[in-house]
Amino acid sequence: RNEELLALARKSLERYKTLSESEEFNRYGMEKLRSDLLEAALDFYATLAHQTGESETARADRGDALYRLGWTYSQLGRLDQARESLNTSLTIYRELESEFPTNLVYARSAASAVVSIAEMLNDSRDSAAGELLAESRRRVQALRLKDPQGLDATLRLAYLTTLEGERLWQFRQYQRRSRQCHRTGTGR
């Protein structure tokens, strides 16, 4: 019975996330409704994040709930809470990734958490974003090697490249990096 309820909760959360990211939901004039719905989701995610259990599934569910909680906090502009939730999610997924190295879901989830934290830091012009962007790139490149036909890793690498470019632009390092790449003949 509990597993059925958790499966229903997971399905509902996935549907909610899809709807909350939709173009219609992000249109001008929908800000109040979007904010109210995100606030309502916080309680649900927080409840799921505080569920106990040390089985692989329970920890993965907790990691996912914390990731979604962090994403929701970031959408509401609560960046300290977002970072805390995302960091805790990342810790859980790193542990699962270490214990179950053949399960690519954990590697992808850890990469998603790192990318989200890096993006948040990059947006706030925090210099710590550089290290996390580099870790993100390493993680996504490793995923791409494990699944060369997977489009997800390729798209994430393209996105990370834009974040890195934005970071270089923010710190006025773009021209220096461009000259360095040109001299060495690398795009990295």
Side-chain angles (χ1 to χ4, degrees):
R1 174 98 176 121
N2 285 344
E3 287 302 317
E4 289 174 13
L5 290 174
L6 279 174
L8 179 62
R10 274 188 223 104
K11 185 177 178 180
S12 296
L13 286 174
E14 193 56 44
R15 177 78 175 129
Y16 172 81
K17 186 170 188 283
T18 300
L19 289 172
S20 69
E21 294 174 342
S22 73
E23 186 178 320
E24 294 85 10
F25 200 57
N26 287 300
R27 285 191 180 141
Y28 179 77
M30 298 294 286
E31 296 86 357
K32 174 78 170 109
L33 176 61
R34 185 171 191 274
S35 178
D36 289 348
L37 288 172
L38 289 171
E39 287 287 345
L42 284 178
D43 291 335
F44 191 64
Y45 292 141
T47 300
L48 288 175
H50 287 84
Q51 295 298 308
T52 58
E54 291 306 313
S55 70
E56 178 184 353
T57 303
R59 290 185 296 156
D61 286 344
R62 196 165 39 255
D64 185 57
L66 283 160
Y67 178 83
R68 291 171 190 262
L69 185 63
W71 179 87
T72 304
Y73 278 136
S74 73
Q75 295 300 299
L76 291 167
R78 300 180 192 176
L79 301 184
D80 289 339
Q81 292 167 302
R83 189 168 180 186
E84 181 181 338
S85 294
L86 290 168
N87 277 327
T88 306
S89 173
L90 177 58
T91 299
I92 291 168
Y93 279 119
R94 281 178 173 159
E95 290 170 0
L96 288 167
E97 182 182 28
S98 174
E99 292 174 39
F100 306 98
T102 59
N103 189 334
L104 290 182
V105 169
Y106 302 140
R108 284 187 193 101
S109 297
S112 292
V114 175
V115 169
S116 294
I117 297 166
E119 179 180 25
M120 194 171 48
L121 292 176
N122 198 52
D123 288 348
S124 62
R125 295 181 179 221
D126 187 320
S127 61
E131 282 181 43
L132 287 169
L133 286 170
E135 180 181 347
S136 297
R137 179 173 286 283
R138 284 190 303 274
R139 286 181 163 281
V140 173
Q141 284 173 331
L143 284 169
R144 190 170 175 208
L145 290 174
K146 291 176 184 175
D147 184 14
Q149 301 303 314
L151 185 58
D152 183 62
T154 301
L155 292 174
R156 285 180 193 232
L157 281 174
Y159 178 67
L160 285 169
T161 300
T162 64
L163 285 180
E164 290 170 332
E166 180 181 315
R167 182 176 174 282
L168 291 171
W169 185 261
Q170 287 172 352
F171 291 100
R172 305 292 186 245
Q173 298 171 347
Y174 202 73
Q175 290 178 338
R176 179 178 57 82
R177 182 70 174 130
S178 176
R179 284 191 302 269
Q180 180 184 8
C181 289
H182 181 70
R183 276 195 313 271
T184 62
T186 67
R188 254 313 299 140

